[in-house]
Amino acid sequence: MELESYTQTLDELTGKQITIYLYENVQDIENVHAKVVNKELPCCIIKANVIVDPFQLVIAANKAALNEKYGQMVTRSIFTEVIYSLSISKNISQALKDFGISSDHKTNNYLVVLVHTAEDLEELNKLVVNCIKGERKPISQLSELANLKLIKKLYKVDDRELKVSNLIDSIVSKISEKK
């Protein structure tokens, strides 16, 4: 059986992990968005079509968790900080528009991202995972949903760069170098 989720330990200084779930055909995204904004759902919801590999999210979550640990967050929550860290823009609104829940209905495929301690995962799963109405898919299917043209545009990756690097390495470099 393929993994339905992806969990990775972040920098040991943070004491945190990231767990990622992939959902297709999510229904009632407006309700989910409202629950996230009202802090009823302790997670972030990210458009699946702008993520090429789970490692992209691990890097952003690690950066966000370290920012939280050292009091250097730009946003008000660890979950918004993950979305902000995914973007190469320093504009929080732009990051949320590019990577977060969208009301434009151009996608109904989303990633649910939890940043948690190992002890909290089971409780978070009960709270968050059952609240999302959609088809949970193996994380290995993520690359099939990626819109490479859009991803290259968001990260300003051109064909010349891809002659000396692959897409995920270029993205990770750009996420890492944003101050």
Side-chain angles (χ1 to χ4, degrees):
M1 182 171 153
E2 291 186 77
L3 285 176
E4 284 196 11
S5 67
Y6 176 94
T7 299
Q8 178 70 47
T9 300
L10 301 177
D11 189 302
E12 66 183 35
L13 293 172
T14 67
K16 304 266 185 177
Q17 297 179 329
I18 180 177
T19 299
I20 307 165
Y21 298 98
L22 174 61
Y23 284 87
E24 285 185 329
N25 302 314
V26 174
Q27 308 301 313
D28 198 19
I29 197 66
E30 292 85 4
N31 187 41
V32 172
H33 183 245
K35 287 182 178 186
V36 169
V37 169
N38 293 329
K39 298 182 178 155
E40 295 172 39
L41 288 178
C43 66
C44 59
I45 311 289
I46 296 172
K47 296 174 193 167
N49 66 333
V50 295
I51 305 298
V52 73
D53 187 276
F55 189 57
Q56 186 177 347
L57 289 165
V58 171
I59 297 301
N62 198 61
K63 191 172 185 177
L66 285 168
N67 286 350
E68 179 185 48
K69 170 138 181 82
Y70 294 112
Q72 298 174 342
M73 289 198 333
V74 176
T75 67
R76 292 190 199 127
S77 79
I78 184 74
F79 306 112
T80 308
E81 194 76 10
V82 170
I83 295 172
Y84 176 72
S85 296
L86 270 174
S87 176
I88 61 172
S89 170
K90 291 189 178 188
N91 182 319
I92 297 168
S93 296
Q94 188 64 46
L96 292 171
K97 179 181 170 205
D98 291 342
F99 294 93
I101 294 174
S102 172
S103 60
D104 62 14
H105 300 294
K106 289 184 180 173
T107 186
N108 60 352
N109 304 320
Y110 292 93
L111 293 157
V112 175
V113 179
L114 308 173
V115 179
H116 57 87
T117 62
E119 300 80 34
D120 292 340
L121 182 58
E122 190 175 328
E123 187 177 323
L124 284 172
N125 277 337
K126 290 177 190 171
L127 183 63
V128 174
V129 174
N130 295 328
C131 192
I132 311 295
K133 291 175 179 50
E135 301 167 47
R136 201 153 120 195
K137 297 292 185 173
I139 202 72
S140 60
Q141 292 181 10
L142 178 59
S143 62
E144 298 167 23
L145 302 175
N147 179 336
L148 297 180
K149 184 177 178 180
L150 177 59
I151 293 168
K152 288 178 190 177
K153 179 181 172 190
L154 289 173
Y155 286 101
K156 297 182 172 133
V157 175
D158 61 27
D159 291 336
R160 290 178 304 178
E161 186 174 345
L162 294 176
K163 288 182 180 174
V164 295
S165 180
N166 63 40
L167 184 57
I168 189 63
D169 288 347
S170 292
I171 291 168
V172 166
S173 292
K174 290 173 189 261
I175 290 172
S176 297
E177 63 190 32
K178 178 177 122 182
K179 299 288 182 204

